[in-house]
Amino acid sequence: MFAYWGKILRVNLTNGTIKEEHFDEEFAKKWLGTRGFGIYYLLKEMDATVDPLSPENKIVYATGPLTGTTAPTGGRYMVITKSPLTGYIAMANSGGFFGAELKFAGWDAIIVEGASDHPVYLYINDESVEIRDASHLWGKTSSETEEALKEEIGDKRIRAALIGPAGENLVRFSAVMNDEHRAAARGGVGAVMGSKKLKAIVVRGHKRVEVADRAKFTSVVKEKTDKLRNDPTAGGGLPKYGTAVLVNIINQNGLYPTRNFQYSQFEYAEEQSGEAMAAKYLIRNKPCYACPIGCGRVNKLPTLGITEGPEYESIWALGAHNGINDLASIIHANHMADEYGLDTISLGGTLATAMELYEKGILKQEDLGEEAPPFRWGNSEVLHYYIEKIAKREGFGDKLAEGGYRLAEMYGHTEYFMGVKKQELPAYDPRGAEGHGLGYATNNRGGCHIKQYMISPEILGYPYKMDPHDIGDEKVKMVILFQDLTALIDAAGLCVFTTFGLGADDYRDLLNAALGWDLSTEEYLKIGERIWNAERLFNLKAGLDPLKEDTLPKRLLEEPVRNGPNKGHVVRLHLMLPKYYKFRGWTEDGKITEEKMKELGIEEL
């Protein structure tokens, strides 16, 4: 096989065993990589009803065939496990350099099972693999851990995927961090590492990923890279302003959620935009491995020094979502979240839930303690005070560490939780992009934008402009196409930002040139469809009730937008969802049919 090693590392932390396993090309053609590999092993080997924080849960770190190659953005890896936040599948994606390094070490994926009785880290140096004591690292932040590991191993070029104190303390929305500021964040994958007492996976590799035809692959890579560099978003807006280039665009289009989705435009959006950040704090942009886009930000704050980020989602979650407009405070809070290892979207969503509970008089100051800052909209003190409290599960931070849904449930008002399947929603009000709302409701990992980024056609015009309030058959089919295509892109080991410039045929060209295969675009999209359906199958086995849980918060379905261009609109999910099930080839109540499972070859899982 080309672009694969055909090797999977299996580590059992209960008994300390380390094994090398192999897969063949037939398996690769069926599952491709990352999410595909992860969901296959979870379905094949694990009871989907296990407690996510028990030793019976498994966690998979997987690359794709294009990870570690020169393909544009070929540095991605994914963490796949059962989510302690949702109880369903978690597949968290990250860039940086860890994924490529794992591939350079000669491994396509790592399966970690069981749990250690004391803190450990996994050290991989090509074929050499060791489980080492990490007691001295427990309690350290992301940057402290990475620095200590480099010093201990004596190699500045190691790459590590690790958890901060939030993961150690089983915060339900804790992240796996790599390269200090890159995060596999959503779904609480960091808490699963913490439950296994696994502080870090450290990798050093010295191999080269071989492709089928080096000259042809190089030519295809150049062609696709040129397309990205000539695209106004991938080659212009993102390098110049980062993902925060979206702040003004989304706000002007009237779907920038404000004060826990009570409003859809923020009066101070311009002050927290990518343009404002570039003017005040930006030093340079920073690309991940093999990335021609370079959307990462390196900023300098007078009170903090050099840091990276924040991304669009983080600016919104720690800003407008909580009515906060102080960009310096937002950048500092993002830095703290990275250090403690927290998913910033769920962090901001949980704080916004608390803000509204406080506003409505349900959450009272005596619940917080006299010394705690009040949960008032716009109070940036809340950010810095509670990030540490959440990560360490101290005081009221212990309740916040459970996530927004469980917090609202404690106070008997889940209607103020803005999420899907217990995962907090990201930075787009679907009342201003209804196809995006259908994507939220049907997403396998709960409240998530990136696995079907319908903002592309509905707002940005990729691959062509669609009316954001059209809910016809074409729109529903586009949601399904985006879900399947994103599963394919993830499985290949590439970044979804490449969709700003590349289409399905471009991914086919890259994969065929690297792998020496001759699959059609339709055959590759079928792999994406297989992955999506397999993840859905896992969720159904875990107890998903589609008719109750493939939905949106009541506010988004029944309360019309109060302000801006989408004033008066709600999401007409009830008209789209039956069509979605039908076009997916599922039953009327959202279950996968036997025929569909046989068609996709997943009937035995």
Side-chain angles (χ1 to χ4, degrees):
M1 284 189 295
F2 293 102
Y4 294 103
W5 302 109
K7 288 169 54 180
I8 290 176
L9 178 65
R10 185 182 294 270
V11 179
N12 188 304
L13 294 177
T14 300
N15 56 32
T17 57
I18 298 169
K19 296 178 183 176
E20 177 183 317
E21 298 178 358
H22 301 91
F23 62 89
D24 58 18
E25 193 168 55
E26 183 182 354
F27 176 82
K29 281 187 175 179
K30 190 168 184 177
W31 297 105
L32 199 63
T34 70
R35 287 167 66 181
F37 285 11
I39 193 59
Y40 169 81
Y41 282 104
L42 292 193
L43 278 170
K44 191 76 174 174
E45 300 181 356
M46 203 176 92
D47 179 351
T49 65
V50 300
D51 181 343
L53 298 176
S54 71
E56 287 71 41
N57 193 11
K58 301 191 181 193
I59 185 166
V60 181
Y61 308 78
T63 66
L66 297 181
T67 307
T69 71
T70 56
T73 73
R76 312 298 291 192
Y77 79 101
M78 296 196 79
V79 183
I80 307 99
T81 188
K82 184 177 181 182
S83 167
L85 185 67
T86 68
Y88 301 128
I89 189 69
M91 56 306 202
N93 195 308
S94 184
F97 295 83
F98 174 83
E101 198 71 23
L102 180 58
K103 201 75 172 286
F104 298 154
W107 302 98
D108 295 297
I110 306 167
I111 301 169
V112 176
E113 52 197 15
S116 174
D117 59 5
H118 66 283
V120 295
Y121 72 89
L122 192 64
Y123 176 47
I124 303 168
N125 188 351
D126 294 331
E127 287 81 18
S128 174
V129 183
E130 303 171 51
I131 300 171
R132 294 184 171 184
D133 182 73
S135 300
H136 58 300
L137 302 172
W138 209 249
K140 291 186 182 295
T141 65
S142 300
S143 63
E144 289 170 346
T145 303
E146 194 158 310
E147 193 56 42
L149 285 165
K150 286 176 180 176
E151 189 173 332
E152 182 174 319
I153 292 166
D155 187 348
K156 294 287 186 183
R157 299 185 68 181
I158 61 161
R159 301 291 178 179
L162 53 86
I163 56 171
E168 297 171 2
N169 292 316
L170 311 184
V171 175
R172 288 188 186 271
F173 50 91
S174 51
V176 174
M177 305 299 301
N178 59 275
D179 301 284
E180 292 190 24
H181 296 281
R182 296 284 104 196
R186 308 237 60 197
V189 292
V192 179
M193 278 185 76
S195 72
K196 297 183 180 304
K197 291 285 194 291
L198 179 61
K199 178 66 172 175
I201 296 177
V202 183
V203 183
R204 185 73 169 93
H206 303 83
K207 304 178 194 297
R208 182 188 188 189
V209 180
E210 294 298 334
V211 295
D213 184 331
R214 179 66 59 182
K216 181 181 180 182
F217 184 66
T218 300
S219 173
V220 173
V221 166
K222 184 181 185 307
E223 177 200 339
K224 308 310 178 189
T225 300
D226 287 345
K227 287 181 77 169
L228 289 168
R229 286 184 171 142
N230 291 324
D231 180 83
T233 302
L238 284 172
K240 190 172 184 181
Y241 298 120
T243 54
V245 69
L246 285 168
V247 171
N248 284 330
I249 296 169
I250 300 303
N251 193 61
Q252 288 160 10
N253 279 274
L255 57 154
Y256 196 55
T258 299
R259 298 174 180 86
N260 203 32
F261 287 77
Q262 293 187 73
Y263 301 90
S264 300
Q265 283 187 311
F266 189 43
E267 59 272 31
Y268 304 112
E270 201 165 319
E271 295 177 27
Q272 57 183 238
S273 65
E275 293 86 341
M277 186 161 61
K280 292 181 179 179
Y281 305 112
L282 184 68
I283 297 175
R284 63 182 183 277
N285 69 339
K286 183 177 181 179
C288 298
Y289 173 85
C291 180
I293 300 171
C295 69
R297 307 288 90 184
V298 178
N299 285 314
K300 185 175 182 179
L301 279 184
T303 56
L304 178 67
I306 304 293
T307 186
E308 292 181 29
E311 304 290 338
Y312 164 74
E313 298 291 339
S314 305
I315 288 174
W316 162 78
L318 304 172
H321 201 9
N322 286 278
I324 293 168
N325 72 317
D326 181 357
L327 184 55
S329 287
I330 294 167
I331 294 172
H332 199 134
N334 181 77
H335 179 86
M336 291 176 67
D338 287 351
E339 285 285 47
Y340 284 112
L342 289 164
D343 168 10
T344 51
I345 299 176
S346 284
L347 168 64
T350 300
L351 293 175
T353 303
M355 287 263 190
E356 187 161 2
L357 290 170
Y358 191 93
E359 177 191 44
K360 299 287 195 292
I362 299 159
L363 174 62
K364 302 184 185 302
Q365 190 65 38
E366 50 261 37
D367 298 324
L368 311 177
E370 286 184 16
E371 79 291 345
F375 274 106
R376 292 201 186 98
W377 301 116
N379 185 4
S380 60
E381 285 182 58
V382 166
L383 299 178
H384 306 127
Y385 180 85
Y386 278 110
I387 287 173
E388 183 176 1
K389 296 292 185 187
I390 290 168
K392 295 181 178 179
R393 281 188 174 269
E394 293 176 350
F396 192 71
D398 188 41
K399 290 184 177 179
L400 294 169
E402 292 294 296
Y405 178 84
R406 291 172 178 84
L407 175 71
E409 189 178 43
M410 290 175 207
Y411 288 89
H413 287 278
T414 54
E415 70 271 21
Y416 298 129
F417 169 69
M418 296 297 112
V420 173
K421 300 177 178 73
K422 299 185 179 69
Q423 179 160 274
E424 292 74 10
L425 286 174
Y428 310 89
D429 189 326
R431 291 172 292 185
E434 294 187 61
H436 199 67
L438 174 62
Y440 282 160
T442 57
N443 197 289
N444 287 323
R445 67 174 187 174
C448 164
H449 63 297
I450 207 68
K451 301 306 173 201
Q452 71 287 304
Y453 194 64
M454 285 298 291
I455 297 304
S456 282
E458 292 188 297
I459 304 297
L460 304 176
Y462 290 90
Y464 55 87
K465 186 76 169 70
M466 301 184 85
D467 179 351
H469 295 295
D470 172 63
I471 57 169
D473 291 2
E474 184 187 357
K475 178 68 70 66
V476 175
K477 288 176 180 177
M478 184 65 89
V479 172
I480 292 170
L481 174 61
F482 263 66
Q483 289 174 339
D484 293 349
L485 178 61
T486 302
L488 170 67
I489 295 165
D490 283 345
L494 300 181
C495 175
V496 292
F497 287 172
T498 53
T499 54
F500 299 124
L502 302 185
D505 291 347
D506 296 303
Y507 300 109
R508 172 204 65 201
D509 295 345
L510 283 163
L511 286 161
N512 280 343
L515 295 162
W517 297 351
D518 189 27
L519 298 186
S520 66
T521 302
E522 290 69 31
E523 287 171 315
Y524 277 117
L525 285 172
K526 184 62 72 175
I527 297 172
E529 184 187 4
R530 178 179 298 115
I531 293 168
W532 189 269
N533 277 264
E535 291 168 347
R536 176 74 169 194
L537 180 61
F538 181 90
N539 285 354
L540 290 167
K541 289 186 173 189
L544 175 71
D545 183 338
L547 295 181
K548 287 184 179 178
E549 296 182 86
D550 286 347
T551 191
L552 295 169
K554 188 177 179 181
R555 171 169 291 162
L556 307 182
L557 299 174
E558 298 180 9
E559 296 179 22
V561 173
R562 297 186 190 185
N563 63 330
N566 299 300
K567 186 176 180 180
H569 281 283
V570 295
V571 182
R572 291 165 293 172
L573 183 65
H574 66 289
L575 298 177
M576 292 185 285
L577 193 60
K579 292 192 280 190
Y580 177 89
Y581 290 160
K582 178 184 174 183
F583 296 151
R584 272 281 177 209
W586 298 348
T587 64
E588 290 182 357
D589 58 351
K591 308 285 178 61
I592 309 172
T593 63
E594 289 294 326
E595 292 78 13
K596 177 56 71 173
M597 288 202 281
K598 285 178 182 175
E599 175 195 326
L600 297 171
I602 61 172
E603 69 275 13
E604 294 179 7
L605 291 176

